[in-house]
Amino acid sequence: MKNIVKTFRPAYKGNYRPFRAPFTFCLLITSLFCFTVVAETANAATYYCDPVDGNTVTNNGSIESPWGSLESLKTTGTYVNSNYGKWEDGTIQDGDTIKLMSGYHGTFVVDNLWDSDAYNGEDRFGHFKNRNLLDNITVEAANGEDPNLMWISITDDNWTLRGLTVSPNYAPGGIQPHSGGYDSIIQFAGDNIVVEDCNTWSVEKTWAGDSNNWATYQYAGIRMDPKLSNNCIIRNNTIKNVYYGFFIGPNSLAEGNLVQYFSLDAITLDGPNTIVQDNKLLDYIPGEQHSDGIQIKYGRGENITIQRNYINGRTDPNRNCDSTYGLQGIFIQAAGEVSGVIQNNVVLVTSSAHGITLNDTPNPNCQTWPKDLAIVNNTVLQIYANGTEAWADDTWPNIIVAADPDRTISNVVVRNNIADVFPSGTGITASNNFDISNYTPANEFVDYESGNVQLVSGSSFIDAGISTDAPAIDILGVSRVFPPDAGCYEYISGTPDTTPPSTPQNLNAQAVSKSQIDLSWDISNDPESGISYYKIYRDNNQIDTSVSASYSDTNLASETNYSYKVS
């Protein structure tokens, strides 16, 4: 059967880019600027929803005759114990895409009913009766459109949400008070869920002169249920003015997200084999307890990767966010083994707060067991919350590695970090770490007060690390020169290449046979360094490189969906 090719809009919405992209120095094609192309079987279709001019009852869902709002695709009542309308009557099939036009689309709920007879008392939702109501469904903004929703909840597998703006402020009659801070703007429980390029926010004002409204109306951002979700992606989203940013569960990826103005934790991680990278976590809101940039609390932490994240509790040096509690950096109280890497992170904490901490105090709910863990090339500093220039004191910020009393630390490496206090003892190898209280910030960093902790010429930390266990690149993707610099930035002498390659434009795909898809795109430009090659990705995995602006992917399976990216 002949394949149909459809081209989606860029993966990065508007002007937002992951924090490291605008500062990529030497690597020619390391930025993740990409377009996505999906080659699908002829059975897959694209439908359009227009809440302003569409009609779900009389129209066929084409771009010329769009349905109404996304919410209107269901019949009356809720999804629980009701007819699913277009979702259940056979109109929408596996692999279909729903493109949304600008306007208000209401709420979107997909509830794969759980079987109460099979409820085991451990899974909160029991077992799904009909796992996979539909497979591989994409709901995304149409090109150039800005669809708005009040709330999204998905309890099913294999869904993609892309380019949507979701806020309880869009509710008819205005935002309603939350029920305790854990009402999530986007929530899901299922495998293979992708949430990317979405914009979520709670209230328009945060702490500035509106503390009462902030406390009443702050909602949470994105919640992935760690007990019922696996192999999910939360990528390139903007999450602002929220209680917490998002939860990420097992075997999943969180990258390129911006979380700004949060009063609890920016990212909560729960599950093994999870990657948290290239996120920008900014500006905690003072509250009744401390905040964490990245946290594991009573969850699992085997084979985790936490890298190239920028955590800054106060981006405005003049903003007074002084309180009893401050922002902590990376805080881990796990339910067992913690292994993997924590590397190339900037952690700028406020007040007296932890920098990178494993199991600070014994807790009956966790048995943290650090083993086979590398904590390397992190920059961990303190910025006072009241806007006064300050430097680290004799205690904070620190890197702590401790275990449950019944566990023994083993094979933990702490190297090439800049902080104040470092761990030692059985099972810990610590070397080439630098106590920041012995140095003067103006001599080491570009602009410490404003949160720019890149190294200046003559910094004591240049070439001060050791090669063993050091990552090959720094937080910006710059290749490290060995011996590497200490901290998360590698100093580059001379005039660096600060301009990333231009985005590959007009990526097209043509299914020339049942087993081959040909890709082509407009060439990229980099006036400072030039372009040496392009990286080709199929289904988010790099498959090859190309020195020209074309590529043929062969030996493919027919009747199969493929997603392509070029960077």
Side-chain angles (χ1 to χ4, degrees), residues 89-304:
D89 69 4
T91 301
I92 300 173
Q93 297 287 318
D94 292 351
D96 286 353
T97 296
I98 313 298
K99 290 182 176 286
L100 307 185
M101 311 299 283
S102 296
Y104 178 61
H105 286 265
T107 61
F108 182 55
V109 181
V110 177
D111 193 345
N112 195 338
L113 304 180
W114 59 276
D115 187 352
S116 59
D117 294 334
Y119 183 64
N120 60 14
E122 296 180 1
D123 264 347
R124 287 191 294 275
F125 295 93
H127 301 278
F128 291 133
K129 283 183 177 178
N130 304 301
R131 195 74 168 179
N132 301 332
L133 293 170
L134 288 167
D135 243 347
N136 299 315
I137 300 296
T138 297
V139 179
E140 67 177 6
N143 290 338
E145 302 293 321
D146 183 23
N148 307 143
L149 293 97
M150 182 185 81
W151 181 58
I152 295 176
S153 177
I154 295 178
T155 309
D156 195 32
D157 296 338
N158 305 316
W159 287 75
T160 295
L161 306 174
R162 183 181 295 121
L164 311 177
T165 299
V166 190
S167 172
N169 269 270
Y170 294 121
I175 189 172
Q176 301 299 310
H178 61 74
S179 61
Y182 286 95
D183 292 338
S184 300
I185 300 170
I186 299 175
Q187 62 186 36
F188 60 88
D191 297 344
N192 307 309
I193 305 291
V194 177
V195 181
E196 62 183 0
D197 305 307
C198 291
N199 180 16
T200 68
W201 51 284
S202 181
V203 294
E204 294 184 272
K205 295 182 179 180
T206 55
W207 60 279
D210 198 28
S211 58
N212 290 333
N213 280 340
W214 169 248
T216 303
Y217 296 110
Q218 57 177 337
Y219 283 68
I222 301 172
R223 180 176 178 84
M224 168 186 175
D225 191 304
K227 291 187 177 181
L228 287 174
S229 305
N230 185 61
N231 194 34
C232 298
I233 297 174
I234 299 176
R235 178 170 54 204
N236 302 337
N237 301 285
T238 298
I239 304 167
K240 288 189 174 183
N241 303 352
V242 290
Y243 187 52
Y244 65 75
F246 62 87
F247 279 71
I248 188 76
N251 304 297
S252 296
L253 171 67
E255 70 174 356
N257 300 284
L258 168 64
V259 181
Q260 189 168 24
Y261 300 120
F262 54 95
S263 64
L264 189 58
D265 305 313
I267 300 176
T268 297
L269 189 162
D270 182 358
N273 309 312
T274 295
I275 299 173
V276 177
Q277 65 185 17
D278 303 314
N279 299 285
K280 200 173 182 181
L281 315 174
L282 310 177
D283 298 311
Y284 93 103
I285 307 301
E288 297 180 356
Q289 56 183 314
H290 70 262
S291 300
D292 294 317
I294 300 172
Q295 174 186 248
I296 301 177
K297 189 171 184 179
Y298 315 149
R300 297 178 61 187
E302 307 100 299
N303 193 32
I304 58 172

Side-chain angles (χ1 to χ4, degrees), residues 344 375-379 413-418 422 430-434 439 444 455 459-471 480-491:
N344 277 339
I375 303 174
V376 293
N377 284 96
N378 300 282
T379 300
V413 174
V414 182
R415 284 200 177 106
N416 300 346
N417 300 284
I418 303 171
F422 300 95
S431 63
N432 290 73
N433 299 296
F434 294 86
Y439 299 86
E444 309 299 338
L455 304 181
S459 170
S460 306
F461 308 129
I462 295 175
D463 297 336
I466 59 174
S467 301
T468 306
D469 297 308
R480 289 193 179 273
V481 178
F482 294 94
D485 299 344
C488 63
Y489 290 102
E490 188 75 8
Y491 176 75

Side-chain angles (χ1 to χ4, degrees), residues 377-429:
N377 284 96
N378 300 282
T379 300
V380 182
L381 305 175
Q382 175 178 310
I383 47 177
Y384 278 142
N386 61 8
T388 303
E389 180 180 355
W391 196 238
D393 57 29
D394 292 334
T395 306
W396 311 94
N398 49 26
I399 296 177
I400 296 174
V401 177
D404 181 85
D406 295 328
R407 303 286 190 177
T408 300
I409 298 172
S410 64
N411 194 29
V412 173
V413 174
V414 182
R415 284 200 177 106
N416 300 346
N417 300 284
I418 303 171
D420 189 25
V421 177
F422 300 95
S424 61
T426 303
I428 298 174
T429 300

Side-chain angles (χ1 to χ4, degrees), residues 343-359:
Q343 63 185 13
N344 277 339
N345 299 286
V346 170
V347 178
L348 303 179
V349 300
T350 59
S351 189
S352 294
H354 301 283
I356 299 174
T357 298
L358 276 73
N359 196 45

Side-chain angles (χ1 to χ4, degrees), residues 76-92:
T76 58
T78 65
Y79 278 91
V80 179
N81 299 322
S82 73
N83 190 313
Y84 281 73
K86 299 294 184 183
W87 303 103
E88 196 173 67
D89 69 4
T91 301
I92 300 173

